[in-house]
Amino acid sequence: MSETPKDIKYEFKKMDADILEGLTERTKQDAGAPFEADVLEALKALRVSDPAKWHRIRSELKALRVQVTELDRLTAPAAKDEGPANTVNVEFVAPWHEPVSGAEVAHIIRGTLGQHIKFQDDEEADAVTLWIMGSWLMDRWALFPKCLITSPEKRCGKSTLLEAIEAFAFKPIYAAQVSPASLFRMIEAVKPTVMMDEADQTLKNNDDLIGLINAGHRKRQANVIRVQEVNGDFIPVIFSVWSPQVIAGIGRIKDTLEDRSIRIELRRRLPAEYVEKMPADLFERHSVTRQKIARWASDFPQAHIEADAMPENLGNDRAQDNWEPLCKVALNIGGEWPERADRAYRLIEQRHADDDLPIPVQLVCDIWSLFEPRPYTKHIPTSSIVEDLNAMEDRPWREINHGRALTQSSLMRRLTKFGIKSIAMTPESGGGKVKCIRRRDIEESFDRYGNPKYDLPDPPKKGDPYDPF
């Protein structure tokens, strides 16, 4: 009969017997003898392996007026040593017995995704396939993005996609309603692929949890520090939060999290858009596939980890970083996959180019759209800027102030963070001074913070000269 982990940990050895020999006599001379560290460990082992002998020694020590209640506490096997019945466990996957090509497993994963999930575009399914395979190489990446799955409403396939990813991902664990403390302890213990559904609720007003998830973006920075009691002392302890993470929710998620993710946006299927119902035992059906992915990952050459596969910069350096591991996986798979990865990168990132800009940066970009087509305009009155911004279609300025339109004062408050201030100028036609914004201030902020791919709106049509100063 095999020993339990508890039996192994508390096995009573000859060394323990030597430590306990003469304990009663030593205690007569030194009341602290039973509480020495090596004695306590020996008593703890004896208590598990030979309860009868333990009680005899305990009775002898009690007769010597030793505080046996304290001794009982210090030698009791901790509840955690036996392990709760519902402790976190992950599947151990033995690599396949022979080499496996990346193209083979990519074909299986991609085919399964397309069979059961309706994506907006085929490129999104390609991106998820590459992300899944990349999750098996987590310990070898310096940076790895999250996979963020969103939809405008329920019943769009988010949970189905999570189940499909679970069937292929590295050591997947569902983590609904996870707390910050349980998240970093789970990651430290088993290094799973964390799969979090209903993130729109779980992450709502939960900055601590969002901060932990964000910290797991770069390997060197994927640590949290907590103070923990060790033998009566409180010392700082480092916990890792480095693990693949799949996060699903309705609507927009925190922008800092979106910025660290490959974003997949699902829509509800039309009646004519058919997909096969996912079997309940999909995970079990693909046990061999996971073995093959494990073998592919174990054989993944270091040359491909170090390869220069950085995609073109589309105006977002972090998006480049996020996609680099996926492009390296595609490089390893070969064939048409590098081109498919590039198409997925361009489609997904360009789709979110405007969405990714914070409101203050959008404001700078839209003001620049008033200057950019008029090279000789050096100043524009703030009143004219507000009027033109509020006239723009498909922009937030008409309702930016809790449902009310942008005003001159709210405009300048939002520009203050960029160091942009209005200046008072007198028009050539005379009259009182007018508050204006300088071209050079907006141009500098646009060059620093604006996205080169940002779709500048067409300015309202006005006759030139636009600058009355």
Side-chain angles (χ1 to χ4, degrees):
M1 180 176 177
S2 62
E3 293 179 308
T4 65
K6 181 186 74 171
D7 294 328
I8 294 172
K9 184 169 183 178
Y10 298 124
E11 180 183 2
F12 190 71
K13 302 176 182 178
K14 184 179 185 302
M15 180 177 65
D16 298 321
D18 293 341
I19 292 172
L20 296 180
E21 185 177 357
L23 176 61
T24 303
E25 293 301 319
R26 296 202 307 275
T27 304
K28 292 178 182 179
Q29 305 298 323
D30 178 7
F35 298 96
E36 294 175 353
D38 57 345
V39 174
L40 287 174
E41 288 300 315
L43 288 172
K44 187 181 291 188
L46 180 67
R47 185 171 179 176
V48 171
S49 60
D50 192 344
K53 188 171 182 180
W54 147 255
H55 279 285
R56 293 188 191 102
I57 293 178
R58 182 181 183 276
S59 297
E60 293 173 0
L61 295 174
K62 183 177 181 180
L64 296 174
R65 298 184 181 276
V66 171
Q67 294 184 4
V68 291
T69 55
E70 180 68 4
L71 194 66
D72 290 343
R73 184 183 70 83
L74 294 173
T75 59
K80 66 180 181 181
D81 292 331
E82 298 186 13
N86 60 344
T87 188
V88 173
N89 290 306
V90 293
E91 178 192 44
F92 171 75
V93 179
W96 194 242
H97 60 275
E98 59 184 6
V100 178
S101 72
E104 177 185 348
V105 292
H107 177 75
I108 296 172
I109 297 170
R110 177 62 178 83
T112 303
L113 294 175
Q115 189 177 6
H116 302 295
I117 293 98
K118 175 59 181 153
F119 293 91
Q120 287 194 74
D121 302 280
D122 291 342
E123 287 80 2
E124 289 184 315
D126 291 343
V128 175
T129 299
L130 295 170
W131 187 93
I132 290 171
M133 295 177 68
S135 74
W136 288 78
L137 299 162
M138 195 66 182
D139 283 342
R140 300 176 66 184
W141 301 126
L143 176 152
F144 196 70
K146 292 88 173 61
C147 180
L148 180 61
I149 305 166
T150 61
S151 69
E153 285 293 339
K154 60 185 179 181
R155 295 194 294 114
C156 293
K158 297 186 304 299
S159 297
T160 304
L161 179 53
L162 277 175
E163 289 183 47
I165 294 174
E166 181 198 23
F168 302 107
F170 176 71
K171 296 196 296 187
I173 290 182
Y174 273 89
Q177 299 297 320
V178 64
S179 68
S182 62
L183 178 65
F184 68 72
R185 284 182 167 84
M186 177 177 67
I187 293 175
E188 176 69 33
V190 295
K191 301 292 189 296
T193 294
V194 179
M195 310 190 67
M196 187 183 301
D197 203 355
E198 312 297 343
D200 51 304
Q201 298 299 320
T202 304
L203 301 181
K204 187 177 182 180
N205 300 322
N206 197 339
D207 290 340
D208 287 344
L209 185 55
I210 293 171
L212 286 177
I213 294 172
N214 286 343
H217 188 234
R218 289 182 179 272
K219 189 175 184 179
R220 282 187 56 82
Q221 301 164 4
N223 299 305
V224 297
I225 300 176
R226 295 293 184 270
V227 175
Q228 186 168 305
E229 184 179 0
V230 179
N231 296 327
D233 293 327
F234 291 91
I235 63 173
V237 178
I238 295 178
F239 293 86
S240 172
V241 289
W242 178 245
S243 76
Q245 296 161 5
V246 189
I247 301 165
I250 293 175
R252 294 291 300 269
I253 309 296
K254 190 76 171 179
D255 57 355
T256 56
L257 180 54
E258 292 178 340
D259 202 35
R260 292 164 169 81
S261 302
I262 304 299
R263 294 160 62 177
I264 307 299
E265 292 187 349
L266 299 180
R267 297 290 183 267
R268 189 174 294 174
R269 287 188 298 112
L270 296 172
E273 294 174 330
Y274 173 78
V275 294
E276 293 185 22
K277 184 175 178 61
M278 181 176 291
D281 61 346
L282 185 72
F283 185 85
E284 289 75 15
R285 293 188 185 193
H286 284 284
S287 59
V288 170
T289 305
R290 290 192 296 278
Q291 288 183 284
K292 290 184 175 181
I293 303 174
R295 178 57 188 262
W296 165 82
S298 68
D299 294 340
F300 196 90
Q302 185 63 24
H304 286 169
I305 294 289
E306 298 173 357
D308 181 7
M310 183 73 75
E312 179 187 354
N313 191 333
L314 300 180
N316 185 336
D317 292 345
R318 180 161 281 171
Q320 265 189 303
D321 293 339
N322 289 339
W323 281 85
E324 186 179 18
L326 276 61
C327 291
K328 291 180 178 181
V329 171
L331 176 66
N332 175 267
I333 297 172
E336 62 182 10
W337 275 96
E339 289 78 15
R340 291 168 70 167
D342 186 67
R343 287 198 302 269
Y345 164 64
R346 293 175 182 278
L347 182 144
I348 291 174
E349 295 306 323
Q350 288 175 346
R351 176 182 293 163
H352 302 301
D354 290 359
D355 294 343
D356 287 341
L357 290 181
I359 288 293
V361 178
Q362 288 188 43
L363 180 60
V364 167
C365 293
D366 285 355
I367 296 174
W368 175 243
S369 75
L370 305 176
F371 281 102
E372 195 268 341
R374 302 177 175 91
Y376 300 109
T377 296
K378 305 302 180 185
H379 310 84
I380 300 179
T382 56
S383 58
S384 297
I385 289 175
V386 168
E387 179 185 349
D388 291 346
L389 290 175
N390 287 331
M392 291 179 179
E393 300 290 339
D394 301 321
R395 288 299 194 265
W397 314 124
R398 294 179 186 176
E399 301 177 342
I400 194 65
N401 291 320
H402 304 289
R404 296 189 295 273
L406 187 72
T407 63
Q408 292 185 58
S409 59
S410 63
L411 168 71
M412 296 316 302
R413 281 199 308 271
R414 295 176 186 277
L415 293 177
T416 298
K417 68 184 300 180
F418 300 104
I420 298 175
K421 298 179 180 180
S422 61
I423 59 172
M425 300 191 68
T426 303
E428 291 179 350
S429 58
K433 290 185 178 294
V434 177
K435 289 185 176 181
C436 302
I437 291 178
R438 292 182 297 194
R439 177 191 188 96
R440 70 186 187 193
D441 293 338
I442 294 296
E443 184 174 16
E444 179 183 347
S445 293
F446 177 78
D447 289 343
R448 289 182 184 277
Y449 304 104
N451 187 331
K453 305 296 183 180
Y454 184 75
D455 185 18
L456 290 173
D458 294 328
K461 296 186 181 301
K462 290 192 174 186
D464 284 330
Y466 194 64
D467 189 346
F469 305 99

